[in-house]
Amino acid sequence: MTSDQPTTAGRRLSRRHLLLGGAAAGIGAASAIGIDLAGRSSQPASVAPTAGPAPAAAHGGETVPFFGVHQAGIETPPQAHGTFIALDLRDDVDRAGLIRLMKIFTDDAARLSQGTPALADSEPELGVIPAALTITFGFGPGVFTRAARTQVMPGWVGPLPAFGVDRLEEKWNDGDLLLQIAADDPVTVAHATRMLLKDARSFARVRWTQPGFRRARGSEKPGTTMRNLFGQVDGTVNLEPGTADFEHLVWGGNNPDWMHGGTGFVLRRIEMNLDKWDRLDRPGREASVGRTLDTGAPLTGTVESDEPDFEAKTAIGFPVIPEFSHIRRARTDNPDERIFRRTYNYDEVPTGDRVSDSGLLFASFQADVTKQFVPIQKRLDELDLLNKWITPIGSAVFAIPPGCAADGYIGETLLAG
Ligand code: HEM
């Protein structure tokens, strides 16, 4: 007998009980899971870490609440590691299947994010260091079709309009379901990813996986704006969780009722050609964005938080912040055309003559993708000096359902009833 046999059997039992419990009695995930645990008397309801020390180190034990009005992983300060995964539903998955899948996902995410191994966790020792783990779910068009709920699909769900700068590769586009798995520890992310994907196996296939990272937690002061792989301070002008603007522009909007507490999500995989960037001098690099590289201050200021002065002119009459600079083009006078950026760097293993294969997983949350994201991207498409070094190669849009209560599951406002 191999060592994983009992666990695999346990998992099968787990799923059968979960499904039977849900389908036969029409009861919620928590009760169904109760049934499951009753069927496995060897495992207590509150699964204590079976092995390994409790997290002793500074950040390993940190948890982010899972249940609530909004899903975790949006207002949460960005963790050091974030993996985005798109799934495609298998042909036979209908609304009932989606409900089963989302109940299982919810249970896994609720447990793992609190440092409790998932049900029948195959590596429970890896489940005890949450390191601020959040798992956020999103729905692509396929979910609405399978659930027979297309009438309440926000109009902005689906592919974005085509942009001239796009060189999209099919392997990075779209998807039925999104998972954003983020934590301050890469082993935690790897384990959560594996548990969720194992549980999804009979419902869905992986379409793409995009791991990203920021600086390691503890390597700089909390709240420091991240740097992308061009070395730029990236994320200075952004919506701030907890503000009225955030409430309105991320959690508000004119979405169908079931979305109340949810939002919209865009992921653009943008290649940053570092080999070409290497040939640009420092003044050229700073002009392309309109900010300095050392502090991220606007070219007209001295510290990062200074307001850019777009009217300021050089001695010979040119704008100090060039017309083609990224910040000038990305900015708008329309306060409703703003988004919340929560991006990650990616860095693949280069092959052949290339020294780098790097870029940005440009992730943004906004209540209405068409009204908020698209106008910015259109302006950048028309003119942005950065376009010489960056190329969007992947694109996906998802509706992020609201959070749920402890006796509910993510997606219930869309799927139930
Ligand atoms: C690889 C691609 C990109 C890079 C390297 C990049 C880099 C930067 C940098 C360095 C800043 C200045 C600091 C800041 O305020 O964050 C900035 C600002 C900004 N970027 Fe990007 N960006 C990229 C793509 C995008 C895309 C695709 C969008 C939206 C469609 C976008 C929207 C913005 C916005 C809204 C700002 C703030 C502008 C303001 O000052 O009001 N960026 N970006």
Side-chain angles (χ1 to χ4, degrees):
M1 184 195 272
T2 61
S3 60
D4 72 334
Q5 271 175 337
T7 308
T8 311
R11 172 51 73 185
R12 236 181 276 131
L13 184 65
S14 156
R15 182 166 295 123
R16 203 184 66 234
H17 279 224
L18 185 63
L19 307 192
L20 269 179
I27 50 179
S31 340
I33 289 155
I35 290 170
D36 168 73
L37 287 168
R40 279 183 300 140
S41 52
S42 59
Q43 195 160 10
S46 145
V47 187
T50 49
H59 307 304
E62 283 186 15
T63 55
V64 178
F66 177 78
F67 296 108
V69 175
H70 310 302
Q71 288 195 63
I74 301 165
E75 293 190 336
T76 313
Q79 303 94 322
H81 301 270
T83 292
F84 300 88
I85 302 166
L87 303 178
D88 281 338
L89 294 167
R90 295 194 185 277
D91 290 344
D92 58 348
V93 174
D94 55 9
R95 188 160 66 91
L98 274 165
I99 292 174
R100 288 198 294 271
L101 174 61
M102 292 314 298
K103 284 181 175 177
I104 296 170
F105 271 168
T106 300
D107 184 62
D108 283 346
R111 285 171 193 265
L112 288 167
S113 62
Q114 303 310 302
T116 303
L119 276 184
D121 200 318
S122 41
E123 290 81 27
E125 293 79 6
L126 299 183
V128 298
I129 297 190
L133 174 69
T134 57
I135 299 169
T136 316
F137 301 96
F139 295 159
V143 165
F144 296 88
T145 315
R146 296 302 181 82
R149 288 280 188 270
T150 45
Q151 71 280 13
V152 290
M153 183 174 92
W156 43 260
V157 173
L160 292 170
F163 299 102
V165 289
D166 288 355
R167 298 290 176 271
L168 303 184
E169 298 171 17
E170 200 42 40
K171 64 181 175 186
W172 302 122
N173 290 341
D174 308 326
D176 292 338
L177 263 171
L178 168 82
L179 309 179
Q180 176 195 260
I181 304 175
D184 285 323
D185 182 90
V187 177
T188 298
V189 172
H191 177 63
T193 299
R194 178 168 153 74
M195 285 312 301
L196 287 158
L197 292 186
K198 270 175 31 161
D199 279 349
R201 203 151 42 190
S202 57
F203 298 89
R205 302 179 57 249
V206 177
R207 184 182 180 90
W208 47 252
T209 302
Q210 306 193 47
F213 60 94
R214 294 167 164 238
R215 283 215 193 268
R217 177 82 191 275
S219 56
E220 57 190 4
K221 272 203 303 210
T224 306
T225 311
M226 91 151 197
R227 282 193 188 261
N228 63 38
L229 295 177
F230 280 164
Q232 301 157 338
V233 176
D234 187 349
T236 303
V237 176
N238 209 358
L239 294 175
E240 265 183 55
T243 59
D245 277 350
F246 197 95
E247 201 56 38
H248 164 59
L249 293 163
V250 177
W251 302 128
N254 205 12
N255 287 318
D257 286 349
W258 74 269
M259 285 267 308
H260 185 73
T263 188
F265 176 77
V266 174
L267 183 69
R268 304 271 288 170
R269 184 178 182 87
I270 307 180
E271 187 183 76
M272 293 163 51
N273 194 325
L274 285 167
D275 297 345
K276 218 167 143 191
W277 183 251
D278 277 347
R279 299 200 286 270
L280 185 65
D281 63 10
R282 202 167 169 94
R285 290 177 174 201
E286 296 185 330
S288 69
V289 167
R291 288 181 177 272
T292 63
L293 284 163
D294 55 354
T295 63
L299 295 180
T300 52
T302 47
V303 294
E304 187 191 344
S305 57
D306 282 345
E307 253 315 293
D309 177 358
F310 291 110
E311 305 305 319
K313 300 273 189 301
T314 62
I316 51 167
F318 288 112
V320 179
I321 298 175
E323 299 289 352
F324 51 63
S325 68
H326 184 70
I327 62 164
R328 196 187 271 269
R329 299 297 301 166
R331 188 164 289 209
T332 165
D333 290 337
N334 182 346
D336 287 336
E337 286 179 9
R338 288 177 296 158
I339 57 178
F340 176 54
R341 295 177 285 145
R342 200 177 183 281
T343 61
Y344 282 91
N345 299 308
Y346 77 79
D347 194 27
E348 303 290 344
V349 183
T351 52
D353 290 331
R354 298 191 61 171
V355 177
S356 62
D357 179 0
S358 314
L360 202 63
L361 301 179
F362 182 93
S364 70
F365 294 89
Q366 53 279 297
D368 188 322
V369 172
T370 305
K371 289 195 180 137
Q372 296 171 244
F373 176 89
V374 171
I376 305 173
Q377 181 60 80
K378 261 193 187 148
R379 278 197 308 280
L380 296 177
D381 190 32
E382 282 158 14
L383 178 67
D384 174 11
L385 194 63
L386 264 193
N387 289 340
K388 278 183 175 291
W389 301 276
I390 66 176
T391 313
I393 57 172
S395 186
V397 175
F398 298 91
I400 304 291
C404 68
D407 61 351
Y409 62 95
I410 300 293
E412 62 185 330
T413 53
L414 177 72
L415 301 171

